[in-house]
Amino acid sequence: MKALTANRLTDGEVVFWNQGRWVERFADAELFAEPGPGETAEGHAKAQPTVVVEPYLIDLIEAGELWAPLSYRERLRALGPTNRLDHGKQVEGGDVVEALQHASGAARSTGRVNLIKRK
């Protein structure tokens, strides 16, 4: 399972792809079970250089009954600043935030590795 992420160009906010538009919450992200649709979405996202910066697919793992990014880096990006629990996206709480906070795995997402290799 994968999700598509990037940073919004106007303010640097971490965003996730959902059926042709960018959303700020990982809970609202479109999840891709097959590589084809995810790669197609990534292609559409890369055609938006005035909207987002460096879109890439991230690997997901099961976290209870939900999904969470495999890499620690991507979980931090999805939660927002985590130096204090009273700000950032984790303030909203809920099942998805719980899954993000308790997921494990430290591997890099293959999409991020591919992005680094291209540079």
Side-chain angles (χ1 to χ4, degrees), residues 1-4 16 26 29-33 57-63 66-71 74-75 78 100 104 109-110:
M1 194 70 71
K2 293 186 183 282
L4 181 61
F16 301 92
F26 177 75
E30 181 178 357
L31 305 182
F32 301 101
L57 291 165
I58 58 174
D59 299 317
L60 305 178
I61 57 169
E62 286 187 71
L66 300 171
W67 292 92
L70 171 65
S71 77
E74 299 304 335
R75 290 194 302 273
L100 287 167
S104 62
S109 289
T110 54

mmCIF file of all heavy atoms in Angstrom, residues 1-4 16 26 29-33 57-63 66-71 74-75 78 100 104 109-110:
data_model
loop_
_atom_site.group_PDB
_atom_site.id
_atom_site.type_symbol
_atom_site.label_atom_id
_atom_site.label_comp_id
_atom_site.label_asym_id
_atom_site.label_seq_id
_atom_site.Cartn_x
_atom_site.Cartn_y
_atom_site.Cartn_z
ATOM 1 N N MET A 1 0.849 -1.167 0.000
ATOM 2 C CA MET A 1 0.000 0.000 0.000
ATOM 3 C C MET A 1 0.897 1.234 0.000
ATOM 4 O O MET A 1 1.934 1.248 0.648
ATOM 5 C CB MET A 1 -0.891 -0.037 1.238
ATOM 6 C CG MET A 1 -2.040 0.916 1.199
ATOM 7 S SD MET A 1 -3.360 0.524 0.029
ATOM 8 C CE MET A 1 -4.128 -0.885 0.765
ATOM 9 N N LYS A 2 0.455 2.265 -0.740
ATOM 10 C CA LYS A 2 1.232 3.500 -0.845
ATOM 11 C C LYS A 2 0.306 4.711 -0.783
ATOM 12 O O LYS A 2 -0.889 4.608 -1.019
ATOM 13 C CB LYS A 2 2.017 3.536 -2.146
ATOM 14 C CG LYS A 2 3.114 2.482 -2.215
ATOM 15 C CD LYS A 2 3.957 2.660 -3.450
ATOM 16 C CE LYS A 2 5.010 1.578 -3.559
ATOM 17 N NZ LYS A 2 6.145 1.781 -2.696
ATOM 18 N N ALA A 3 0.897 5.870 -0.479
ATOM 19 C CA ALA A 3 0.214 7.154 -0.538
ATOM 20 C C ALA A 3 1.162 8.129 -1.213
ATOM 21 O O ALA A 3 2.377 7.940 -1.200
ATOM 22 C CB ALA A 3 -0.156 7.629 0.867
ATOM 23 N N LEU A 4 0.614 9.177 -1.795
ATOM 24 C CA LEU A 4 1.411 10.189 -2.481
ATOM 25 C C LEU A 4 1.483 11.435 -1.609
ATOM 26 O O LEU A 4 0.457 11.916 -1.118
ATOM 27 C CB LEU A 4 0.763 10.521 -3.830
ATOM 28 C CG LEU A 4 1.450 11.545 -4.716
ATOM 29 C CD1 LEU A 4 2.859 11.083 -5.089
ATOM 30 C CD2 LEU A 4 0.615 11.797 -5.959
ATOM 31 N N PHE A 16 -1.109 15.539 1.023
ATOM 32 C CA PHE A 16 -1.306 14.191 0.513
ATOM 33 C C PHE A 16 -2.319 14.237 -0.619
ATOM 34 O O PHE A 16 -3.266 15.021 -0.596
ATOM 35 C CB PHE A 16 -1.802 13.264 1.637
ATOM 36 C CG PHE A 16 -0.850 13.191 2.786
ATOM 37 C CD1 PHE A 16 -0.976 14.055 3.860
ATOM 38 C CD2 PHE A 16 0.188 12.291 2.776
ATOM 39 C CE1 PHE A 16 -0.080 14.010 4.915
ATOM 40 C CE2 PHE A 16 1.092 12.234 3.823
ATOM 41 C CZ PHE A 16 0.958 13.106 4.891
ATOM 42 N N PHE A 26 -3.240 13.169 6.635
ATOM 43 C CA PHE A 26 -2.956 11.817 6.162
ATOM 44 C C PHE A 26 -4.233 10.972 6.164
ATOM 45 O O PHE A 26 -4.428 10.127 5.292
ATOM 46 C CB PHE A 26 -1.883 11.158 7.040
ATOM 47 C CG PHE A 26 -1.609 9.741 6.657
ATOM 48 C CD1 PHE A 26 -0.876 9.448 5.517
ATOM 49 C CD2 PHE A 26 -2.099 8.693 7.420
ATOM 50 C CE1 PHE A 26 -0.640 8.137 5.136
ATOM 51 C CE2 PHE A 26 -1.866 7.381 7.056
ATOM 52 C CZ PHE A 26 -1.131 7.101 5.918
ATOM 53 N N ALA A 29 -5.867 10.992 2.860
ATOM 54 C CA ALA A 29 -5.059 10.607 1.698
ATOM 55 C C ALA A 29 -5.674 9.413 0.968
ATOM 56 O O ALA A 29 -6.236 8.511 1.589
ATOM 57 C CB ALA A 29 -3.641 10.248 2.132
ATOM 58 N N GLU A 30 -5.525 9.420 -0.344
ATOM 59 C CA GLU A 30 -5.916 8.278 -1.155
ATOM 60 C C GLU A 30 -4.818 7.224 -1.036
ATOM 61 O O GLU A 30 -3.635 7.541 -1.145
ATOM 62 C CB GLU A 30 -6.059 8.716 -2.614
ATOM 63 C CG GLU A 30 -6.475 7.630 -3.556
ATOM 64 C CD GLU A 30 -6.651 8.143 -4.985
ATOM 65 O OE1 GLU A 30 -6.514 9.355 -5.232
ATOM 66 O OE2 GLU A 30 -6.920 7.301 -5.844
ATOM 67 N N LEU A 31 -5.208 5.976 -0.800
ATOM 68 C CA LEU A 31 -4.245 4.886 -0.659
ATOM 69 C C LEU A 31 -4.257 4.048 -1.928
ATOM 70 O O LEU A 31 -5.315 3.774 -2.497
ATOM 71 C CB LEU A 31 -4.593 4.029 0.556
ATOM 72 C CG LEU A 31 -4.724 4.778 1.879
ATOM 73 C CD1 LEU A 31 -5.019 3.804 3.012
ATOM 74 C CD2 LEU A 31 -3.499 5.608 2.178
ATOM 75 N N PHE A 32 -3.063 3.648 -2.366
ATOM 76 C CA PHE A 32 -2.923 2.896 -3.607
ATOM 77 C C PHE A 32 -2.440 1.482 -3.303
ATOM 78 O O PHE A 32 -1.344 1.303 -2.780
ATOM 79 C CB PHE A 32 -1.918 3.592 -4.534
ATOM 80 C CG PHE A 32 -2.311 4.995 -4.887
ATOM 81 C CD1 PHE A 32 -1.710 6.068 -4.248
ATOM 82 C CD2 PHE A 32 -3.278 5.237 -5.841
ATOM 83 C CE1 PHE A 32 -2.067 7.367 -4.567
ATOM 84 C CE2 PHE A 32 -3.643 6.534 -6.173
ATOM 85 C CZ PHE A 32 -3.037 7.603 -5.529
ATOM 86 N N ALA A 33 -3.250 0.488 -3.651
ATOM 87 C CA ALA A 33 -2.874 -0.906 -3.438
ATOM 88 C C ALA A 33 -2.041 -1.428 -4.606
ATOM 89 O O ALA A 33 -1.217 -2.322 -4.437
ATOM 90 C CB ALA A 33 -4.120 -1.769 -3.263
ATOM 91 N N LEU A 57 5.789 8.833 -3.833
ATOM 92 C CA LEU A 57 4.982 7.810 -3.172
ATOM 93 C C LEU A 57 5.699 7.334 -1.918
ATOM 94 O O LEU A 57 6.918 7.159 -1.918
ATOM 95 C CB LEU A 57 4.749 6.626 -4.118
ATOM 96 C CG LEU A 57 3.834 6.922 -5.309
ATOM 97 C CD1 LEU A 57 3.960 5.826 -6.351
ATOM 98 C CD2 LEU A 57 2.395 7.084 -4.860
ATOM 99 N N ILE A 58 4.934 7.113 -0.852
ATOM 100 C CA ILE A 58 5.507 6.576 0.383
ATOM 101 C C ILE A 58 4.920 5.200 0.660
ATOM 102 O O ILE A 58 3.773 4.920 0.323
ATOM 103 C CB ILE A 58 5.269 7.516 1.588
ATOM 104 C CG1 ILE A 58 3.777 7.776 1.821
ATOM 105 C CG2 ILE A 58 6.034 8.814 1.401
ATOM 106 C CD1 ILE A 58 3.465 8.564 3.075
ATOM 107 N N ASP A 59 5.737 4.340 1.255
ATOM 108 C CA ASP A 59 5.304 2.998 1.626
ATOM 109 C C ASP A 59 4.517 3.072 2.926
ATOM 110 O O ASP A 59 4.865 3.819 3.841
ATOM 111 C CB ASP A 59 6.513 2.084 1.819
ATOM 112 C CG ASP A 59 7.335 1.956 0.550
ATOM 113 O OD1 ASP A 59 6.727 1.803 -0.525
ATOM 114 O OD2 ASP A 59 8.573 2.011 0.630
ATOM 115 N N LEU A 60 3.457 2.261 3.005
ATOM 116 C CA LEU A 60 2.621 2.218 4.203
ATOM 117 C C LEU A 60 2.665 0.833 4.821
ATOM 118 O O LEU A 60 2.900 -0.160 4.127
ATOM 119 C CB LEU A 60 1.174 2.576 3.843
ATOM 120 C CG LEU A 60 0.942 3.904 3.122
ATOM 121 C CD1 LEU A 60 -0.531 4.074 2.796
ATOM 122 C CD2 LEU A 60 1.462 5.068 3.936
ATOM 123 N N ILE A 61 2.428 0.777 6.130
ATOM 124 C CA ILE A 61 2.313 -0.489 6.845
ATOM 125 C C ILE A 61 0.995 -0.492 7.603
ATOM 126 O O ILE A 61 0.440 0.561 7.903
ATOM 127 C CB ILE A 61 3.487 -0.697 7.839
ATOM 128 C CG1 ILE A 61 3.568 0.459 8.833
ATOM 129 C CG2 ILE A 61 4.795 -0.875 7.106
ATOM 130 C CD1 ILE A 61 4.510 0.223 9.990
ATOM 131 N N GLU A 62 0.536 -1.682 7.910
ATOM 132 C CA GLU A 62 -0.673 -1.783 8.730
ATOM 133 C C GLU A 62 -0.337 -1.385 10.156
ATOM 134 O O GLU A 62 0.671 -1.797 10.711
ATOM 135 C CB GLU A 62 -1.225 -3.202 8.703
ATOM 136 C CG GLU A 62 -1.898 -3.547 7.393
ATOM 137 C CD GLU A 62 -2.579 -4.886 7.436
ATOM 138 O OE1 GLU A 62 -3.612 -4.999 8.114
ATOM 139 O OE2 GLU A 62 -2.046 -5.808 6.806
ATOM 140 N N ALA A 63 -1.203 -0.561 10.730
ATOM 141 C CA ALA A 63 -1.051 -0.139 12.119
ATOM 142 C C ALA A 63 -2.398 -0.382 12.787
ATOM 143 O O ALA A 63 -3.284 0.460 12.745
ATOM 144 C CB ALA A 63 -0.649 1.329 12.208
ATOM 145 N N LEU A 66 -5.696 0.256 10.673
ATOM 146 C CA LEU A 66 -5.474 1.376 9.763
ATOM 147 C C LEU A 66 -4.116 1.262 9.098
ATOM 148 O O LEU A 66 -3.407 0.287 9.290
ATOM 149 C CB LEU A 66 -5.571 2.692 10.556
ATOM 150 C CG LEU A 66 -6.917 2.932 11.233
ATOM 151 C CD1 LEU A 66 -6.836 4.129 12.155
ATOM 152 C CD2 LEU A 66 -8.013 3.136 10.205
ATOM 153 N N TRP A 67 -3.750 2.272 8.329
ATOM 154 C CA TRP A 67 -2.458 2.320 7.651
ATOM 155 C C TRP A 67 -1.664 3.508 8.164
ATOM 156 O O TRP A 67 -2.235 4.534 8.527
ATOM 157 C CB TRP A 67 -2.658 2.438 6.143
ATOM 158 C CG TRP A 67 -3.238 1.198 5.552
ATOM 159 C CD1 TRP A 67 -4.559 0.927 5.349
ATOM 160 C CD2 TRP A 67 -2.521 0.041 5.130
ATOM 161 N NE1 TRP A 67 -4.698 -0.333 4.813
ATOM 162 C CE2 TRP A 67 -3.463 -0.890 4.661
ATOM 163 C CE3 TRP A 67 -1.176 -0.297 5.079
ATOM 164 C CZ2 TRP A 67 -3.112 -2.135 4.164
ATOM 165 C CZ3 TRP A 67 -0.813 -1.533 4.578
ATOM 166 C CH2 TRP A 67 -1.778 -2.439 4.129
ATOM 167 N N ALA A 68 -0.352 3.366 8.157
ATOM 168 C CA ALA A 68 0.556 4.440 8.566
ATOM 169 C C ALA A 68 1.806 4.357 7.695
ATOM 170 O O ALA A 68 2.146 3.291 7.189
ATOM 171 C CB ALA A 68 0.933 4.288 10.039
ATOM 172 N N PRO A 69 2.491 5.477 7.513
ATOM 173 C CA PRO A 69 3.746 5.429 6.758
ATOM 174 C C PRO A 69 4.750 4.489 7.415
ATOM 175 O O PRO A 69 4.853 4.446 8.643
ATOM 176 C CB PRO A 69 4.244 6.875 6.802
ATOM 177 C CG PRO A 69 3.006 7.681 6.979
ATOM 178 C CD PRO A 69 2.127 6.853 7.864
ATOM 179 N N LEU A 70 5.488 3.760 6.599
ATOM 180 C CA LEU A 70 6.499 2.843 7.096
ATOM 181 C C LEU A 70 7.645 3.590 7.767
ATOM 182 O O LEU A 70 8.081 3.231 8.856
ATOM 183 C CB LEU A 70 7.040 2.002 5.931
ATOM 184 C CG LEU A 70 8.258 1.127 6.220
ATOM 185 C CD1 LEU A 70 7.908 0.044 7.230
ATOM 186 C CD2 LEU A 70 8.778 0.507 4.933
ATOM 187 N N SER A 71 8.123 4.646 7.148
ATOM 188 C CA SER A 71 9.303 5.325 7.691
ATOM 189 C C SER A 71 8.929 6.309 8.793
ATOM 190 O O SER A 71 7.888 6.965 8.765
ATOM 191 C CB SER A 71 10.074 6.049 6.580
ATOM 192 O OG SER A 71 9.434 7.237 6.226
ATOM 193 N N GLU A 74 8.345 9.873 7.545
ATOM 194 C CA GLU A 74 7.034 10.145 6.960
ATOM 195 C C GLU A 74 5.942 10.209 8.028
ATOM 196 O O GLU A 74 4.974 10.951 7.879
ATOM 197 C CB GLU A 74 6.693 9.116 5.884
ATOM 198 C CG GLU A 74 7.656 9.105 4.711
ATOM 199 C CD GLU A 74 7.796 10.460 4.017
ATOM 200 O OE1 GLU A 74 6.865 11.294 4.076
ATOM 201 O OE2 GLU A 74 8.852 10.694 3.408
ATOM 202 N N ARG A 75 6.083 9.427 9.093
ATOM 203 C CA ARG A 75 5.114 9.536 10.191
ATOM 204 C C ARG A 75 5.213 10.911 10.846
ATOM 205 O O ARG A 75 4.196 11.522 11.179
ATOM 206 C CB ARG A 75 5.324 8.412 11.200
ATOM 207 C CG ARG A 75 4.927 7.052 10.654
ATOM 208 C CD ARG A 75 4.811 5.979 11.716
ATOM 209 N NE ARG A 75 6.023 5.762 12.473
ATOM 210 C CZ ARG A 75 7.011 4.941 12.129
ATOM 211 N NH1 ARG A 75 6.923 4.255 11.003
ATOM 212 N NH2 ARG A 75 8.064 4.789 12.894
ATOM 213 N N ALA A 78 3.548 13.444 8.655
ATOM 214 C CA ALA A 78 2.090 13.329 8.708
ATOM 215 C C ALA A 78 1.509 13.906 9.999
ATOM 216 O O ALA A 78 0.386 14.417 10.001
ATOM 217 C CB ALA A 78 1.671 11.862 8.558
ATOM 218 N N LEU A 100 -0.629 6.527 13.658
ATOM 219 C CA LEU A 100 0.638 7.167 13.282
ATOM 220 C C LEU A 100 1.614 7.186 14.455
ATOM 221 O O LEU A 100 2.803 6.931 14.299
ATOM 222 C CB LEU A 100 0.393 8.598 12.799
ATOM 223 C CG LEU A 100 -0.252 8.748 11.429
ATOM 224 C CD1 LEU A 100 -0.722 10.176 11.220
ATOM 225 C CD2 LEU A 100 0.700 8.340 10.337
ATOM 226 N N SER A 104 5.331 1.219 13.850
ATOM 227 C CA SER A 104 6.773 0.995 13.956
ATOM 228 C C SER A 104 7.335 0.684 12.579
ATOM 229 O O SER A 104 6.608 0.325 11.666
ATOM 230 C CB SER A 104 7.072 -0.147 14.921
ATOM 231 O OG SER A 104 6.490 -1.340 14.438
ATOM 232 N N SER A 109 11.083 5.149 2.785
ATOM 233 C CA SER A 109 10.126 4.854 1.728
ATOM 234 C C SER A 109 10.872 4.729 0.412
ATOM 235 O O SER A 109 11.779 5.516 0.128
ATOM 236 C CB SER A 109 9.094 5.972 1.619
ATOM 237 O OG SER A 109 8.231 5.951 2.720
ATOM 238 N N THR A 110 10.499 3.758 -0.393
ATOM 239 C CA THR A 110 11.181 3.573 -1.670
ATOM 240 C C THR A 110 11.035 4.809 -2.552
ATOM 241 O O THR A 110 11.946 5.151 -3.284
ATOM 242 C CB THR A 110 10.631 2.337 -2.407
ATOM 243 O OG1 THR A 110 9.204 2.459 -2.520
ATOM 244 C CG2 THR A 110 10.984 1.064 -1.685
#
